[in-house]
Amino acid sequence: MADIREKLSGMKEQTNWSLLFGVSFFLVVLFFVIKLTLNFSDWLVRDKDAQLRQLQVLGEPKYTQEQAIIGAIKQADLDSFFDLDVKQVQKLVTDLPWVASASVRKQWPDTLQVYVVEHEAVAFWNDDQLLNRKGEVFSAPQDQLGAELPALFGPEGSEIEAWQTFSRFHELFAVNGLQLKSLALSERFAWQLWLDNGIRLNLGRDDKAQRVQRFIDVYPHLKKRQDVQVDVVDLRYDTGLAVQFKPLEVTEEEQKSKV
């Protein structure tokens, strides 16, 4: 019995020391955590007015000058690195005409990085606006465009459908040696197409793909006439089509060759 009591007493003493060590270790860790937190808070208070000293404009903007981007950013409050509102900077940059999106990031200790992505104009929209590849409308100076773009027309809200239809038919015409240059969708949702050779196609509202294919099938026969050229092709029929011709235009070179 005495041996058992001694063993129990030893185990109890060992348990007390383990408990005391565990509590002490926890208190030490807690002390250092609190101290680090207080030091970090003091550092934030001390450096909360750290200023921005560097501005990096990233991406490859083609139409938007870097100075214009910097000028837009400077409209924000840049006095404090921590207090700077990156969403405000993002909005200021995306408000620039050619900018489609902007990603803004603060990089410690004093740098602001702005990554700019511009719209890629693919078509004119209703003369005074532009479309990008997503069919989204945006407004930007058109005199900055270097390439000739197709002209699309339609009621508000039809931009995506108009661009998708143009893209689809542009490819179809190109395969058959023709070039689509313009498209219009009326308020009554009737479609008209213009080719670069001056031909206008009236498709109406329904079955526009089949009607375009009908024109492509018959066009080789239409252009065989030597005295006139095709002006308007009306495809608003379940079967067949109506063709309007105009006098053949003679270029100056052709006139000289006949003299």
Side-chain angles (χ1 to χ4, degrees):
M1 291 292 295
D3 292 339
I4 294 175
R5 289 175 181 172
E6 289 179 2
K7 289 182 180 180
L8 290 174
S9 177
M11 291 176 63
K12 184 177 181 181
E13 184 177 350
Q14 184 177 3
T15 301
N16 290 338
W17 278 106
S18 298
L19 179 62
L20 180 62
F21 176 78
V23 172
S24 300
F25 180 77
F26 172 76
L27 291 175
V28 170
V29 171
L30 182 62
F31 171 78
F32 279 106
V33 169
I34 294 173
K35 184 174 179 60
L36 288 173
T37 302
L38 291 175
N39 289 339
F40 182 71
S41 299
D42 291 341
W43 172 77
L44 285 177
V45 172
R46 186 172 59 253
D47 292 341
K48 69 181 180 66
D49 293 327
Q51 293 185 342
L52 286 165
R53 301 184 186 280
Q54 297 186 62
L55 175 60
Q56 297 178 353
V57 177
L58 308 175
E60 299 180 355
K62 180 179 179 181
Y63 301 107
T64 309
Q65 298 295 323
E66 185 172 311
Q67 285 304 117
I69 298 173
I70 294 174
I73 295 171
K74 284 184 176 180
Q75 296 179 50
D77 183 3
L78 304 177
D79 292 337
S80 170
F81 178 88
F82 290 102
D83 294 338
L84 175 64
D85 186 349
V86 294
K87 290 185 177 180
Q88 181 191 16
V89 174
Q90 183 180 43
K91 184 179 185 308
L92 289 168
V93 175
T94 53
D95 282 343
L96 294 171
W98 280 99
V99 177
S101 64
S103 176
V104 182
R105 185 167 70 95
K106 292 188 284 188
Q107 183 172 327
W108 177 255
D110 58 3
T111 302
L112 182 68
Q113 293 181 335
V114 181
Y115 188 88
V116 176
V117 177
E118 285 188 320
H119 291 285
E120 182 184 356
V122 295
F124 295 110
W125 178 250
N126 290 336
D127 284 330
D128 58 348
Q129 293 181 298
L130 295 163
L131 290 180
N132 63 20
R133 287 200 174 276
K134 295 180 180 180
E136 298 170 335
V137 178
F138 68 100
S139 297
Q142 298 182 6
D143 56 0
Q144 294 180 263
L145 293 168
E148 184 177 351
L149 299 178
L152 276 60
F153 303 87
E156 184 179 353
S158 65
E159 302 90 354
I160 294 177
E161 183 180 6
W163 170 243
Q164 291 176 344
T165 300
F166 179 88
S167 301
R168 177 185 177 188
F169 288 155
H170 182 272
E171 183 177 350
L172 180 60
F173 281 118
V175 170
N176 291 276
L178 296 166
Q179 183 75 26
L180 179 61
K181 75 169 188 177
S182 186
L183 171 152
L185 177 62
S186 72
E187 294 289 344
R188 300 181 64 183
F189 297 96
W191 296 87
Q192 288 186 318
L193 309 179
W194 285 264
L195 305 181
D196 67 341
N197 57 12
I199 298 176
R200 173 163 58 92
L201 306 180
N202 292 333
L203 303 181
R205 292 186 296 179
D206 304 317
D207 303 322
K208 55 184 180 293
Q210 292 90 329
R211 293 174 181 181
V212 167
Q213 187 60 55
R214 188 190 307 163
F215 165 77
I216 291 174
D217 292 340
V218 76
Y219 180 65
H221 304 285
L222 297 177
K223 68 179 182 178
K224 287 181 179 180
R225 291 194 57 172
Q226 301 297 318
D227 55 332
V228 292
Q229 61 186 23
V230 179
D231 184 19
V232 181
V233 179
D234 192 344
L235 295 146
R236 295 173 295 178
Y237 303 95
D238 293 334
T239 59
L241 49 85
V243 182
Q244 180 179 331
F245 293 94
K246 63 181 179 180
L248 186 64
E249 294 182 0
V250 181
T251 64
E252 291 184 6
E253 290 75 10
E254 292 174 333
Q255 289 178 342
K256 291 178 181 178
S257 65
K258 293 179 180 179
V259 176

